[in-house]
Amino acid sequence: MSAPPTDASASIPSDDFSRQAAQWIAWNEANYAEHGYGLWIVETLDGQFPEDCGLTWQDVNGRMELEVGYHLLVGEQSQGYATEAAAACKDFARDELNVPLLVAIIHPDNGASRRVAEKIGMRHIKDDHGGAITIRAVLGARLDLP
């Protein structure tokens, strides 16, 4: 929410950003209250915070699926942060949550996010038609449970 506006968000009034930020925080708090996990802040060894990454339950075509989500600040891509964090989330989902499937829901034009999902072993499994975006790609990986 603190990243500089993109072309798509430049026309959104600042009070809408504040409202959206408050909704996002409330959603994360609800995830922690209900599930005990959600999105985590990623901190680098030098104390920077380039992204968030974590696990949230998402509706995919009417079915709830556990998703690994990651959001990097502008200028922090291609340094391995998202891949490392997403891989750790995949391990947590397998080892601690014992879920058989982990998904990543990705805008069809977001090649960088798709590459992160593929690097952690995900492949396209279906498209989602129920979100704010007409069609989102759903990549998934079956998790070998311990």
Side-chain angles (χ1 to χ4, degrees):
M1 293 292 183
S2 66
T6 63
D7 290 341
S9 66
S11 63
I12 300 173
S14 62
D15 60 330
D16 283 350
F17 275 119
S18 295
R19 180 183 50 74
Q20 290 172 0
Q23 289 173 338
W24 186 84
I25 291 167
W27 173 71
N28 276 290
E29 289 175 335
N31 280 324
Y32 275 91
E34 183 174 351
H35 305 291
Y37 54 87
L39 295 175
W40 295 286
I41 298 296
V42 174
E43 182 178 9
T44 63
L45 292 174
D46 62 353
Q48 300 299 310
F49 302 99
E51 73 169 314
D52 68 40
C53 184
L55 301 169
T56 59
W57 289 94
Q58 301 289 333
D59 185 320
V60 177
N61 297 322
R63 180 181 168 144
M64 296 306 287
E65 304 280 5
L66 188 62
E67 182 200 24
V68 59
Y70 33 90
H71 312 96
L72 272 77
L73 292 174
V74 175
E76 298 295 336
Q77 293 180 339
S78 300
Q79 298 186 46
Y81 299 135
T83 302
E84 184 177 349
C89 288
K90 180 181 171 187
D91 292 346
F92 182 83
R94 182 193 62 231
D95 299 342
E96 301 298 325
L97 304 179
N98 298 314
V99 296
L101 175 70
L102 184 65
V103 302
I105 304 167
I106 301 171
H107 188 286
D109 297 334
N110 192 337
S113 285
R114 185 181 190 103
R115 283 188 296 280
V116 168
E118 290 171 345
K119 284 179 185 177
I120 66 165
M122 294 185 159
R123 299 293 173 255
H124 185 267
I125 57 172
K126 59 185 150 187
D127 289 327
D128 174 62
H129 302 275
I133 299 168
T134 304
I135 297 176
R136 302 178 302 172
V138 180
L139 282 72
R142 294 256 167 235
L143 304 180
D144 296 325
L145 299 177

